[in-house]
Amino acid sequence: MRTDQDAPWWRAAVVYQVYPRSFADSDGDGVGDLAGIREHLDHLEWLGVDALWLSPFQPSPMDDNGYDISDYRAVDPIYGTLDDFDALVADAHDRGIRIVLDLVANHTSDEHPWFRQSRSASDHPRRDWYWWRRPRDGHVPGQHGAEPTNWGSFFSGSAWAWDPTSDEYYLHLFSPKQPDLNWENPAVRQAIHDVARWWLRRGVDGFRMDVINLVSKDPALPDGVVRPGEEYGDLGRSVVDGPRVHEYLAEFRREVFGDRTDVVLLVGEAPGTGLEEARRYTHPDRRELDMVFHFEHVNVDRGEFKWDLRPFSVPALRRVLATWQVGLADCWNALYWDNHDQPRVVSRFGDVTRFRDASAKALATVLHLQRGTPFVFQGDEIGMANYPFTTIEDFDDIESVNHYRRSVALGVAPEDVLVSLRAMSRDNGRTPMQWDDGPQAGFTRGRPWRPVNPDHVDVNVAAQREVPGSVLHHYRDLIRLRHEEPVVVEGTFSLLAAEHDHLFAFTREHGDTTLVVVANLSSGRVGLPDDVREACEGAALVLGERAAGVLDPWESRVLRRTRAPEGAT
């Protein structure tokens, strides 16, 4: 890679996320596994990615599909063994691919030994490893209104669960089977540090820290504001970017990474975090996180809550992304469209019916050529789309199912709820990877744990691998361009056509090189405005099919212009 030799590897890298349960099944039981991932490392090497991010594969009751971990230092038997993990790391490293693990440290499963011990007795040494509180005075324990605060869980219902054995409530921001760890307790933080060091010794190259901006709670646990029509209070002010979170993250980096001379990636998921707080997390001088996954750009098509659908707006999306590009100019961006928690971007922001391939390529272009590290979710590289769900029985995701039940109980028509679930459910990102057009898309020889999208007969890796110009080849070209062109990694970002209804255009400039990126994010033809036309003058086409003055629906182009050295004639 032709980049600054002193820069950390992740600045010029592309990270590929695998959701192990849905990537590749090697033994025919219908569930993806570590051996299946290992069998497809050739695909990742061919694509050119630099790191593999693995969603949780540790033992779990699967209440939240693996994000409720019951043993941090093991592999769930459904995925394989620690030997399988070690072999995957070795094979990936042989191909120059680093390994990044999900570190789920805000909460554990309620079946984790730590929580079993914590709930066993009020005087157990690990009691304070979780958030336990007495019921409100004057209320009957276990009945609505007796909870210590009025907080609502992110997964619907109260954020407190009554434990009759110990006569107290415990806090769970997500499922009742995901009790929150109490990071106020130094022993908890030390235990998480020990877990991270244990995986580093096994060859891991970094961590994606799940909802890490929620680990510090306001110890006063004040009630939240109850919005109109809501049953519970908003807990955001008390748990998002809490009072000691920066202290905790600086301590984590110092205690876990120490004086290591190699560079390890630390990226944090940060729902609800704004730009200024993100600067604090990621500024190099603070030594906390290298980058964060913010959520502003994936909230542009929703109202005050996830299921409140709004029309997609190119200006709104462009405004958010450009603001973060400028705001983190001296820090670093994590670039992503979707993941295991988001619907498929081609269905969400593209035109999956009429211009599927073109919109998949256009969206990839504008993401990968911004300043930051791109994250590719499995299937993005072939333009995988949302699943055609028909009934609530089609859904598996706990958040989706809970929302449906709560909404219907409040009188919302079931079909109206299903409309939002089809668009936004996390299940959309969890259908099996589409390798070929055969039975079960080449994912498994058995019955898959989730149904395969019927469109796999046309949309799959095998169908695109030998087709230049396919979505798959376009992703490969974008990754190669990042590796070969320093301007993609190091260049400054300047927005073009800032008021246009359909264009997303910008320049990247570094040294003598300017890269011009222009994409029509609409299903109609669009002419180039003057500032874009001027930026393209004298530039050579790098990616795209032509350099005319009009863009076809969802057409994207990348052009390069090199300034002659001073004094040259």
Side-chain angles (χ1 to χ4, degrees), residues 487 507-510 512-516 559-562:
V487 65
T507 61
R508 303 290 310 284
E509 187 169 355
H510 179 65
D512 296 330
T513 302
T514 299
L515 213 61
V516 184
L559 304 98
R560 182 200 300 113
R561 183 175 62 249
T562 303

Side-chain angles (χ1 to χ4, degrees), residues 28 34 44 73 76 124 202 299 302 392 397 401 404 423 430 468 472 481 510 555:
L34 296 178
L44 303 186
R73 290 183 173 87
D76 195 302
H124 192 281
R202 299 198 86 93
N299 288 341
R302 48 165 278 186
I392 188 57
D397 169 41
V401 173
Y404 179 88
R430 300 176 181 187
L472 180 60
L481 187 64
H510 179 65
E555 182 183 356

Side-chain angles (χ1 to χ4, degrees), residues 375-514:
F375 288 75
V376 178
F377 183 54
Q378 62 185 49
D380 282 352
E381 74 271 31
I382 57 172
M384 280 182 63
N386 284 355
Y387 186 86
F389 299 106
T390 58
T391 71
I392 188 57
E393 285 73 26
D394 292 338
F395 292 88
D396 175 78
D397 169 41
I398 183 175
E399 180 188 28
S400 302
V401 173
N402 284 353
H403 171 68
Y404 179 88
R405 291 172 178 167
R406 176 178 178 273
S407 298
V408 171
L410 292 173
V412 182
E415 183 53 40
D416 290 342
V417 185
L418 286 173
V419 169
S420 59
L421 291 186
R422 290 187 193 105
M424 290 295 189
S425 174
R426 299 190 300 173
D427 280 322
N428 285 302
R430 300 176 181 187
T431 58
M433 179 69 180
Q434 297 166 200
W435 295 105
D436 58 41
D437 63 0
Q440 313 305 350
F443 164 70
T444 180
R445 302 186 303 274
R447 181 179 180 179
W449 77 283
R450 298 295 292 148
V452 173
N453 196 315
D455 70 8
H456 78 275
V457 296
D458 299 311
V459 180
N460 60 73
V461 173
Q464 297 187 22
R465 178 69 181 264
E466 304 305 325
V467 181
S470 66
V471 177
L472 180 60
H473 275 266
H474 190 73
Y475 267 83
R476 191 182 191 216
D477 290 342
L478 287 169
I479 294 169
R480 182 188 299 116
L481 187 64
R482 171 169 294 271
H483 291 164
E484 294 177 352
E485 284 283 355
V487 65
V488 178
V489 179
E490 306 297 342
T492 58
F493 174 95
S494 297
L495 187 64
L496 299 172
E499 303 301 322
H500 201 283
D501 287 340
H502 304 298
L503 286 183
F504 195 164
F506 54 89
T507 61
R508 303 290 310 284
E509 187 169 355
H510 179 65
D512 296 330
T513 302
T514 299

Side-chain angles (χ1 to χ4, degrees), residues 15-244:
V15 182
Y16 188 99
Q17 182 193 359
V18 160
Y19 190 67
R21 201 168 178 82
S22 299
F23 189 66
D25 170 26
S26 70
D27 58 11
D29 66 356
V31 177
D33 47 46
L34 296 178
I37 300 170
R38 189 179 172 197
E39 290 173 356
H40 287 280
L41 286 176
D42 286 346
H43 170 70
L44 303 186
E45 184 178 19
W46 178 87
L47 193 59
V49 301
D50 304 275
L52 171 59
W53 156 25
L54 297 171
S55 287
F57 52 81
Q58 291 87 351
S60 168
M62 296 296 169
D63 188 63
D64 188 25
N65 276 316
Y67 283 85
D68 47 322
I69 292 174
S70 57
D71 185 349
Y72 283 114
R73 290 183 173 87
V75 173
D76 195 302
I78 201 168
Y79 297 129
T81 66
L82 278 172
D83 286 342
D84 291 324
F85 174 79
D86 292 340
L88 173 60
V89 172
D91 283 0
H93 284 173
D94 285 346
R95 289 170 167 80
I97 299 173
R98 291 175 166 89
I99 298 292
V100 176
L101 294 194
D102 242 315
L103 184 61
V104 185
N106 175 71
H107 48 263
T108 67
S109 165
D110 66 343
E111 298 182 25
H112 194 291
W114 296 348
F115 187 72
R116 290 182 184 274
Q117 294 164 348
S118 180
R119 78 188 315 175
S120 66
S122 59
D123 59 352
H124 192 281
R126 283 191 169 141
R127 181 67 169 182
D128 194 37
W129 280 41
Y130 296 83
W131 292 87
W132 292 95
R133 291 294 184 273
R134 297 288 300 162
R136 288 181 190 261
D137 292 339
H139 290 77
V140 178
Q143 293 188 5
H144 181 54
E147 298 90 351
T149 74
N150 67 355
W151 294 355
S153 161
F154 290 117
F155 284 176
S156 298
S158 173
W160 294 93
W162 172 246
D163 181 48
T165 302
S166 58
D167 290 330
E168 286 191 326
Y169 285 88
Y170 65 85
L171 178 66
H172 60 89
L173 300 188
F174 298 93
S175 163
K177 290 185 67 63
Q178 293 171 291
D180 277 56
L181 286 163
N182 177 14
W183 277 56
E184 291 283 314
N185 187 332
V188 170
R189 303 199 302 274
Q190 184 59 55
I192 295 299
H193 300 165
D194 289 343
V195 167
R197 285 190 288 257
W198 190 85
W199 285 107
L200 287 174
R201 289 194 294 270
R202 299 198 86 93
V204 167
D205 302 287
F207 298 100
R208 176 264 189 188
M209 303 186 79
D210 186 66
V211 294
I212 196 61
N213 67 326
L214 307 182
V215 296
S216 173
K217 282 76 170 173
D218 180 348
L221 303 181
D223 279 344
V225 175
V226 181
R227 296 172 179 167
E230 294 292 326
E231 183 177 8
Y232 295 99
D234 182 6
L235 49 71
R237 288 189 177 182
S238 297
V239 305
V240 175
D241 307 323
R244 299 183 65 189

Side-chain angles (χ1 to χ4, degrees), residues 354-390:
R354 293 178 293 170
F355 301 103
R356 179 175 183 146
D357 287 2
S359 58
K361 290 192 283 187
L363 290 165
T365 299
V366 298
L367 184 83
H368 278 246
L369 296 181
Q370 293 179 58
R371 186 176 183 273
T373 297
F375 288 75
V376 178
F377 183 54
Q378 62 185 49
D380 282 352
E381 74 271 31
I382 57 172
M384 280 182 63
N386 284 355
Y387 186 86
F389 299 106
T390 58

